Amino acid sequence: MDSTNPRMSAEGLDEYAQRSEIHIQTEGSQKELRLVGDPLGGRELQQCSREITFTNDLKERRMSNRSLKLGIFGFGCVGSGLYETLQASKFKRAEVVRICILDPSKPRTAPRDLFTTVPEELLDNEDIDVIVELIDDAEAAYEIVTRALRSGKDVVSANKKLVAEHLEELIQIQRETGRSFLYEAACAASIPIIRNLEEYYDNDLVQKVEGILNGSTNYILSALQNGGDFDSVLNEAQEAGYAESDPTLDVDGWDAKFKLTLLIAHSFGLVVPPSSVPHHGIRYITPRLQRIARERNQRIKLIARCWKEDDRVRAYVLPSFVDSDEELFAVNDALNGVVVEGAFSERQYFRGKGAGSLPTGAAVLSDISALTYDYRYAYKKLNSDLEFENDFPVCVHLNGNQSGPLPIYAFEEVFGTFRSVKESYVEGRIGIRNLLELLETGLWSAALLSEQTLQSLEQDQSSILAVSH
Ligand SMILES: NC(=O)c1ccc[n+]([C@@H]2O[C@H](COP(=O)([O-])OP(=O)(O)OC[C@H]3O[C@@H](n4cnc5c(N)ncnc54)[C@H](OP(=O)(O)O)[C@@H]3O)[C@@H](O)[C@H]2O)c1
């Protein structure tokens, strides 16, 4: 094809693609076509109605890369961290044009003339080609992100609630507009898990992803390990800045569940509403449960897990006993950890800061940097034949200080029971919905049994009781 002749018909493009053995990726509603893997170096093409026009030599652009003009929403913990990482890093292809905040009187660590309280100064600014959304209000964030994408800007966000609750729509808008929406910082902050699932684990069949995805709850559970009651440890965590003044999203497991929803989408190609993922937080982890963990040389962690069984995907966020030989046992305090199990790569483990100004800012910066080479999630695993299942059995230790009967009726199989004046418990297999109903009464606390406990139960089957219903 003659590259000096910039115009060609859609049919001509097809013919050229076939001849050159290249793949044409359609972006948006037929507005943009891109040549992928062009053996001659590639050229980016744009389609204006029925005609295709060369706009840029991609080879040239690859060498120079795109420079970005940023409009940032939010300059709190993450926004100011991003600004600091931008100043400190050698990455100079992004310029901050404007920053939108709520309160103009707060002291800031960036030049005052960058700040505004008027969102339109960013959203309607044609100089700005990337909106970085780092605010703490998911509803306002939804408006900002969708408006920015629809007006032709690329968007980076750290907001897991926004992404988890609107992922299907956000994927659709990306397809319609051809713009890129990246959110690495929204899941386990500095741990690069989304892009790895999307790219590295593209060909390896992911079997399971599990992790500690919430630093606040991990900090609280680490402190509870050494004794102490939940309320005083929560107070300490709030004073140390590890927990929000309203800790509900963290301690009740919502935050981890939003992040798990993203892992499910990028591991298995299923976009599920967060409401369909079973979860329970750590508010009722009692000293009795911690004592049992210590006696078994285990630790209680809030584990977010999704895995594949045949053609089904299951997931939950639940407190769990973790054996000392497991990777997540050593993830303490405010750290996060993620283990990915692939069919061929087997177990791989990431550990790092799941929150904090600079670690989260660094993850946002990595997304911004990826935009310089027009990176976007391809969501290649979507439309799989897998089905999401949200009621299935789990093996659990259910513990309470009840003098009444143990809720054996709710179990499918009982491994053991215990009763004393102060404490009673039952260990066994129970449907996750039944378990959540029992926990909602506030009379019981629970943690999933560890692998080692299950193995030892398997070796000694004498105490197992099948429950007839
Ligand atoms: N903190 C972390 O370690 C962490 C880690 C991973 C992900 N995230 C996510 O990152 C996002 C930001 O968290 P953060 O901790 O940085 O929050 P933050 O410290 O509370 O800061 C929020 C910022 O957003 C601004 N803001 C709020 N509503 C706004 C609106 N409607 N328009 C413009 N600005 C608005 C606030 O303005 P003022 O300064 O004027 O009040 C403030 O600068 C959240 O989605 C959070 O879940 C945080």
Side-chain angles (χ1 to χ4, degrees), residues 233-280:
V233 167
L234 173 61
N235 274 341
E236 267 170 44
Q238 284 167 325
E239 274 163 27
Y242 288 118
E244 303 280 334
S245 50
D246 175 4
T248 315
L249 284 184
D250 292 328
V251 301
D252 291 334
W254 292 96
D255 177 85
K257 175 155 106 157
F258 294 141
K259 293 166 180 169
L260 179 62
T261 309
L262 306 191
L263 294 182
I264 296 168
H266 289 276
S267 305
F268 302 114
L270 289 176
V271 179
V272 295
S275 57
S276 67
V277 179
H279 84 284
H280 195 73

Side-chain angles (χ1 to χ4, degrees), residues 8 104 117 142 185 191 193 200 247 273 288 323 345 350 355 395:
M8 67 185 299
T117 55
Y142 170 81
I191 298 178
I193 188 64
Y200 180 82
R288 289 192 306 276
D323 293 315
S345 52
F350 302 76
C395 294

Side-chain angles (χ1 to χ4, degrees), residues 71-80 99-102 119 122 131-145 156-162 364:
I72 302 176
F73 279 85
F75 204 75
C77 177
V78 183
S80 61
I99 303 170
C100 184
I101 37 76
L102 286 182
L122 285 68
I131 291 292
V132 186
E133 180 283 301
L134 303 172
I135 70 173
D136 55 343
D137 172 344
E139 278 171 36
Y142 170 81
E143 294 303 324
I144 291 165
V145 166
V156 175
S157 171
N159 199 320
K160 52 256 162 183
K161 186 168 191 283
L162 157 82
V364 177

